[in-house]
Amino acid sequence: MNMWSVVGFVALVLLIGVGYTAQRLMRLQGPTQGAVIDTANRGQAALLVLDVQEDFTKDTKARQWPTGFVEERIARINALAAEAQMRGEPVITTRLIYEGGHSNLLIGLLGKGLGTKGSDGLELDTRLRFQPDADIVKSVGDAFASDELEAFLKTHGVGRLRIAGLDGCYCVKSTALGALGRGYAVELAEDAVLSIDLKGWAECRTELISKGVELVNSAELAEAQ
């Protein structure tokens, strides 16, 4: 094999590797597709709180939350959960724990290892003051990748989801789109959503509204009770 053949082979391997990595990142963060629900049998609402884990709510050298921001959002999530449970609506939490060597390697390089197996911050933030009706572990952004979530929602007749948690630009966005694609009515409790990129979140929020997500806030919800 001459030098140019070797160069071409190496370039091909690198190209395949880049393509696979891009595909894997899309899988990790993009919405999933699934069967459309029968809304006639789905009259219940539920609160879905995404990935409020110690790994993601803490400050790191590369990522600093604004002072008081996390505490404020968690307080609103606690209030939403209390109100939902008073109405007899299920409250579901999710935790993101990446699976697979390639995914863990990617997140180790790009995400400082947060959410990877072996991290000490995979549990829910201790400032959450409610007991969820279900706590579901997922390995990608869209919670609907979990068969457990779909089964729980079907069992409880849920057709309307109110979403809170983090991160607005990633897991919140992909889960909201995954829910819409399956026929759920989706409410976004915008003042109970956390995003480290507030400018990017403003753009994502606009996109979600354009696709049918309804924006609500905790004060409006409390007044409606």
Side-chain angles (χ1 to χ4, degrees), residues 46-195:
L47 175 66
L48 181 59
V49 179
L50 298 171
D51 307 347
V52 184
Q53 297 160 254
E54 300 282 355
D55 256 8
F56 307 125
T57 56
K58 68 185 179 183
D59 287 330
T60 68
K61 289 183 179 179
R63 189 186 65 182
Q64 298 286 317
W65 291 102
T67 302
F69 180 80
V70 173
E71 291 78 4
E72 176 187 87
R73 300 286 159 143
I74 287 179
R76 288 173 180 162
I77 291 171
N78 285 331
L80 288 172
E83 291 159 8
Q85 291 179 330
M86 284 180 62
R87 293 191 298 269
E89 298 171 359
V91 176
I92 309 150
T93 54
T94 68
R95 289 181 292 127
L96 176 61
I97 303 176
Y98 293 104
E99 289 183 350
H102 193 263
S103 295
N104 276 268
L105 176 62
L106 281 176
I107 301 304
L109 294 172
L110 302 176
K112 308 301 180 184
L114 300 180
T116 57
K117 289 184 176 180
S119 173
D120 60 3
L122 300 178
E123 297 303 318
L124 295 173
D125 192 298
T126 56
R127 290 168 290 187
L128 293 175
R129 302 299 185 193
F130 58 89
Q131 183 65 38
D133 297 283
D135 179 47
I136 294 171
V137 174
K138 61 190 180 74
S139 59
V140 299
D142 183 359
F144 279 92
S146 166
D147 292 336
E148 186 181 354
L149 175 62
E150 295 235 51
F152 182 92
L153 297 175
K154 181 178 181 180
T155 298
H156 290 79
V158 174
R160 175 175 293 274
L161 279 179
R162 181 171 298 135
I163 298 177
L166 62 82
D167 184 288
C169 294
Y170 301 103
C171 297
V172 169
K173 176 183 175 181
S174 61
T175 300
L177 292 176
L180 285 175
R182 289 167 171 81
Y184 289 87
V186 180
E187 296 178 353
L188 190 65
E190 63 169 332
D191 60 348
V193 170
L194 298 84
S195 181

